[in-house]
Amino acid sequence: MVRSLEPLVVGRVIGDVLDMFTPAADLSVTYASKQVANGCEIKPSAAADAPTVDIQGPISNNDLYALVMVDPDAPSPSEPTFREWLHWIVVDIPEGSDANKGKEVVQYMGPQPPTGIHRYVLAVFKQNRAIGGSLRPPNTRSNFSTRQFASQNALGLPVAAVYFNSQKQPAAKKR
């Protein structure tokens, strides 16, 4: 079932990170046993390892997908001077497969929000062809642009997206 865009609009993902799009694929993101739903809270410790990501297009026809994960609130939601902070890029993901079946261009980096509540956006783009062999990783994770990445790689608008919130966990108390 294709998800509604309303939570992405209300959460300012559409606008801050993505342009308005028509959902055309189902995206399932799971950290351990926690299914990601738009706006849900996930602790940084629960998202330290890459999630399981499953992409299902409208018709199973061996399409390839690109996945981008960013934090548009770095270093703080009130002053996002590093918008967008890049957390992960995987390309050439076969439809119906987990992201680990694609080519990881930028290694996964779990949430590490220094202050405030941060949004972590996972956007999926349908590829016209395999791009893993020709794609160079960005020089830095800060000030990444999902829109620019999509444009430079002829990806067009996303076909699916989801976001979750995360905030700094209090340090364990010493005894």
Side-chain angles (χ1 to χ4, degrees):
M1 186 183 102
V2 175
R3 298 178 188 209
S4 165
L5 289 179
E6 185 178 352
L8 297 173
V9 172
V10 172
R12 296 184 338 274
V13 170
I14 296 201
D16 286 353
V17 179
L18 304 172
D19 292 324
M20 186 63 77
F21 67 96
T22 302
D26 289 325
L27 173 61
S28 171
V29 178
T30 309
Y31 282 101
S33 61
K34 174 117 174 146
Q35 176 82 29
V36 175
N38 281 314
C40 74
E41 175 84 18
I42 296 184
K43 293 178 179 172
S45 59
D49 296 324
T52 301
V53 177
D54 183 57
I55 304 160
Q56 291 290 334
I59 301 170
S60 184
N61 53 3
N62 300 324
D63 286 328
L64 294 175
Y65 293 90
L67 171 73
V68 176
M69 179 178 167
V70 296
D71 171 1
D73 301 318
S76 75
S78 59
E79 291 190 33
T81 55
F82 295 150
R83 175 177 291 167
E84 302 157 25
W85 187 271
L86 179 61
H87 281 263
W88 200 21
I89 295 178
V90 183
V91 298
D92 301 342
I93 303 168
E95 180 178 338
S97 297
D98 182 53
N100 67 13
K101 300 285 190 235
K103 179 180 186 327
E104 189 175 60
V105 177
V106 174
Q107 188 174 12
Y108 179 81
M109 174 184 180
Q112 300 172 358
T115 182
I117 298 171
H118 289 236
R119 296 165 293 165
Y120 292 87
V121 179
L122 292 101
V124 173
F125 299 86
K126 185 176 171 188
Q127 298 175 203
N128 296 323
R129 57 181 168 54
I131 60 175
S134 61
L135 194 64
R136 289 186 309 182
N139 295 327
T140 179
R141 289 182 184 258
S142 65
N143 301 114
F144 179 79
S145 169
T146 301
R147 288 178 178 101
Q148 186 176 358
F149 172 80
S151 174
Q152 288 171 342
N153 293 286
L155 298 175
L157 293 171
V159 295
V162 67
Y163 82 99
F164 64 91
N165 295 317
S166 193
Q167 59 186 313
K168 186 174 185 171
Q169 291 179 257
K173 294 183 178 173
K174 296 179 182 174
R175 295 187 178 239

